[in-house]
Amino acid sequence: MVKLTVLVVGSGGREHALALAIARDVEVESVHVAPGNPATWALDAQYGIDHDSDLGKRISSVDPMDSASVIEVAEELGVNLVVVGPEAPLVAGLADAVRDAGIQCFGASKAAAQLEGSKNFAKQIMTAAKVPTARSMYCTTAAEASWALSEFGAPYVVKDDGLAAGKGVVVTEDRDEALAHAKACLPVVIEEYLDGPEVSLFVICDGNKGLPLLPAQDFKRVGEGDTGPNTGGMGAYCPLPWAPENLVSKVMKKVVKPTLKEMFNRGIPFQGLLYVGLALTTKGLRVVEFNVRFGDPETEAVLPLLKYPLGQILYAAAAGSLGDIPELTWDDEVSLVVVYAANGYPGVPSKQGTITIPPPVDQVQVIHCGTGLDENGDLVPRGGRVLGIVAQGEDLIEARENAYSFLEEIDFPGGFYRSDIAQTASVDRIPTPTL
Ligand code: AMP
Ligand code: GLY
């Protein structure tokens, strides 16, 4: 095992969850998150860095889009591993800059991050690698978009080609709405609709090899019963009691291995996190999307169950030596996260009110996704998704009970959450698809 000092870049729930999982390793001397949030600043304090100190202030003023500011703090902290959380800095080339500065970095290169940065690039790779995905058309004009909508028919699926923070995709029965979205976003990818349950599978990659984590499912729509607009995700759970037994091996064989090979052959090896968004359709599995970073909030649910030290795995991936890591093993429990969002999300979130969190209880962790401190030092909302309440249990019924009884005790007048996260799965009402 390698002694590690780690800097996680980002400020949301994913980064908080990554830091907590990395910190569980006895070989980790310290882990910091930049710019972080009030919960990760408290973690800094445990490692002797006060939030009000000069270094504390430099950590919390890091701009992930400015590689010089990340590298300066990484060097000052003397870290030997940087882990990049969000996609935008990866697409802008942060991981390349960190590696050029001589520090190991877990995160896709700028060229490889195009798998998420351009839906069209991702489709080209999938086509070349014969990865099953929705038939699609890349449209640069309104006339092409109109033709493609008629070609594929309803429900219509229109995707902004570039990064859009989870808001670039519209799935609708309404042709006018689909065309309006296409016109607003050109160029777009228009594709056939995929039915069936969705699964998120995270695969840690070192350029050649991929190591899958547990499959998870997230809840994209803002409202109860999967209604309303898409969000970044309102909750998630894992493992999936209804998943076919061969799900992971099939995704590795049909999707991950050919994709890694295709990227390698093009001279853009994929090192970092390959997030495979899948639909298990009546015609078999299909890739809905690739992302190049851990999913949020699925990460919050998945990582607490991981037995092998996460920092060691990420370091091995960054160093190109994932082959040295044994097959991963998992706690025999289930895990779920429910997001407490600010009123208005996924539109403009309210920043009103303060948040009071009750004292910790067993099997429940409070993850900070979008919080800040006001001038009195009170905890306040600073984003759309504000908290993630993560809970474990013997089964989903118990994990839900643990999460929701804690949620009821949180005082957050300007917030809301979905009360049906993992409900259908908890009562065994999702049929197992055949692959
Ligand atoms: P993406 O950004 O590609 O993940 O899309 C966001 C969400 O839109 C996905 O998680 C799906 O719920 C939905 N979606 C995307 N593509 C399709 C498709 N071809 N068919 C049905 N739903 C889709
Ligand atoms: N939860 C979906 C995502 O991270 O994109």
Side-chain angles (χ1 to χ4, degrees):
M1 299 264 176
V2 186
K3 287 245 175 274
L4 292 175
T5 307
V6 185
L7 179 66
V8 178
V9 179
S11 60
R14 163 185 47 217
E15 290 76 27
H16 184 196
L18 282 164
L20 290 181
I22 290 169
R24 291 206 306 263
D25 180 355
V26 288
E27 301 295 335
V28 168
E29 294 178 335
S30 67
V31 52
H32 304 278
V33 184
N37 61 42
T40 68
W41 302 333
L43 203 60
D44 288 335
Q46 283 177 29
Y47 296 116
I49 299 176
D50 199 70
H51 180 51
D52 291 324
S53 67
D54 279 354
L55 180 52
K57 284 183 188 145
R58 277 201 294 285
I59 291 176
S60 59
S61 55
V62 159
D63 173 3
M65 296 303 286
D66 171 10
S67 22
S69 83
V70 174
I71 291 165
E72 195 180 296
V73 163
E75 285 175 343
E76 199 165 345
L77 290 166
V79 305
N80 57 354
L81 177 65
V82 169
V83 176
V84 182
E87 63 276 16
L90 291 167
V91 170
L94 175 59
D96 311 69
V98 171
R99 284 191 275 273
D100 286 348
I103 306 171
Q104 296 284 19
C105 182
F106 179 80
S109 67
K110 179 176 178 167
Q114 283 304 300
L115 270 187
E116 177 165 1
S118 164
K119 303 267 184 203
N120 188 40
F121 176 80
K123 284 288 183 190
Q124 286 172 7
I125 295 291
M126 285 189 251
T127 306
K130 301 197 169 54
V131 167
T133 185
R135 284 185 306 122
S136 69
M137 209 184 130
Y138 180 65
C139 306
T140 55
T141 65
E144 281 172 6
S146 175
W147 186 87
L149 290 173
S150 303
E151 175 70 15
F152 292 123
Y156 303 102
V157 182
V158 181
K159 302 184 170 190
D160 190 334
D161 180 48
L163 283 188
K167 295 179 192 153
V169 179
V170 162
V171 180
T172 176
E173 294 279 346
D174 180 345
R175 194 177 189 284
D176 292 340
E177 187 193 349
L179 190 57
H181 183 65
K183 283 181 181 163
C185 298
L186 287 169
V188 291
V189 170
I190 292 180
E191 64 182 33
E192 71 177 318
Y193 176 79
L194 300 172
D195 59 0
E198 284 185 46
V199 172
S200 305
L201 183 71
F202 302 155
V203 186
I204 294 174
C205 302
D206 71 356
N208 281 301
K209 186 180 155 65
L211 206 54
L213 305 187
L214 283 183
Q217 186 172 51
D218 86 339
F219 293 78
K220 288 252 163 61
R221 303 281 181 148
V222 73
E224 305 278 323
D226 295 326
T227 53
N230 264 336
T231 67
M234 294 297 293
Y237 68 99
C238 82
L240 309 174
W242 49 268
E245 222 172 285
N246 60 348
L247 174 64
V248 173
S249 60
K250 203 140 191 184
V251 178
M252 292 304 289
K253 184 167 166 225
K254 294 199 136 191
V255 178
V256 177
K257 283 183 184 154
T259 300
L260 291 182
K261 191 162 171 230
E262 179 65 28
M263 295 292 282
F264 187 88
N265 289 345
R266 290 186 183 214
I268 33 177
F270 189 89
Q271 186 270 91
L273 198 286
L274 183 63
Y275 165 144
V276 187
L278 297 153
L280 309 188
T281 76
T282 40
K283 295 182 196 147
L285 68 84
R286 298 279 185 279
V287 173
V288 176
E289 62 166 344
F290 282 141
N291 293 316
V292 299
R293 36 82 193 169
F294 283 93
D296 203 349
E298 298 97 309
T299 300
E300 287 91 311
V302 172
L303 293 182
L305 300 182
L306 176 63
K307 282 190 180 166
Y308 198 84
L310 179 67
Q312 301 295 328
I313 307 172
L314 301 182
Y315 186 84
S321 56
L322 260 191
D324 298 343
I325 303 287
E327 199 179 322
L328 302 180
T329 52
W330 301 88
D331 277 345
D332 196 19
E333 287 205 299
V334 306
S335 183
L336 122 151
V337 55
V338 181
V339 169
Y340 214 146
N343 288 338
Y345 181 72
V348 180
S350 156
K351 289 190 175 162
Q352 301 303 311
T354 57
I355 305 164
T356 311
I357 299 171
V361 300
D362 241 18
Q363 294 206 296
V364 177
Q365 305 92 45
V366 178
I367 297 293
H368 288 228
C369 309
T371 60
L373 299 174
D374 68 7
E375 59 283 358
N376 305 318
D378 289 330
L379 193 66
V380 289
R382 283 286 178 269
R385 293 183 293 173
V386 180
L387 298 172
I389 309 309
V390 181
Q392 286 80 46
E394 268 183 27
D395 55 24
L396 279 172
I397 293 180
E398 191 181 290
R400 277 172 50 79
E401 169 65 29
N402 289 341
Y404 281 109
S405 48
F406 193 85
L407 271 152
E408 280 165 21
E409 300 299 315
I410 296 176
D411 183 24
F412 177 16
F416 71 98
Y417 55 84
R418 274 182 64 166
S419 68
D420 62 347
I421 300 301
Q423 189 171 27
T424 321
S426 75
V427 290
D428 244 356
R429 256 196 261 127
I430 304 182
T432 298
T434 2
L435 293 181

